[in-house]
Amino acid sequence: MLSIDPKMLFRLDELEQDLVERRTWAVAEGWQGEIEGIDLTLTFLRGKRAQAQRFQRSGTVDLGLPHQRPPITDG
């Protein structure tokens, strides 16, 4: 799943503005399929923005270093 770098939130704002303008044009032209596609894309974009904003607030999580498990013995 694609993760957005919180530093790039401004780019999502630019993309959203462009999609809203395209949607306005599609409504004026009566392109129902295009409107539905843009609406779906806007929903995903806004979800990604919310995800990135949550990540930005919470920071990073230290998962530690992986370690090797001891071998399983019969006995």
Side-chain angles (χ1 to χ4, degrees), residues 39-59:
D39 287 344
L40 185 60
T41 303
L42 281 168
T43 299
F44 288 136
L45 182 143
R46 291 169 179 155
K48 281 295 175 184
R49 179 189 296 122
Q51 178 187 28
Q53 288 170 334
R54 283 191 306 272
F55 181 72
Q56 186 177 29
R57 285 191 300 267
S58 66

Side-chain angles (χ1 to χ4, degrees), residues 3 17 19:
S3 294
Q17 180 180 353
L19 285 167

Side-chain angles (χ1 to χ4, degrees), residues 5-16 49:
D5 182 350
K7 296 176 194 171
M8 297 301 291
L9 284 172
F10 75 93
R11 182 65 180 128
L12 291 180
D13 294 337
E14 292 173 0
L15 291 170
E16 182 179 23
R49 179 189 296 122

Side-chain angles (χ1 to χ4, degrees), residues 8-38:
M8 297 301 291
L9 284 172
F10 75 93
R11 182 65 180 128
L12 291 180
D13 294 337
E14 292 173 0
L15 291 170
E16 182 179 23
Q17 180 180 353
D18 181 59
L19 285 167
V20 168
E21 290 172 9
R22 285 180 175 195
R23 189 182 189 289
T24 301
W25 183 21
V27 168
E29 296 293 330
W31 298 337
Q32 193 60 37
E34 188 73 12
I35 295 166
E36 291 172 9
I38 291 171

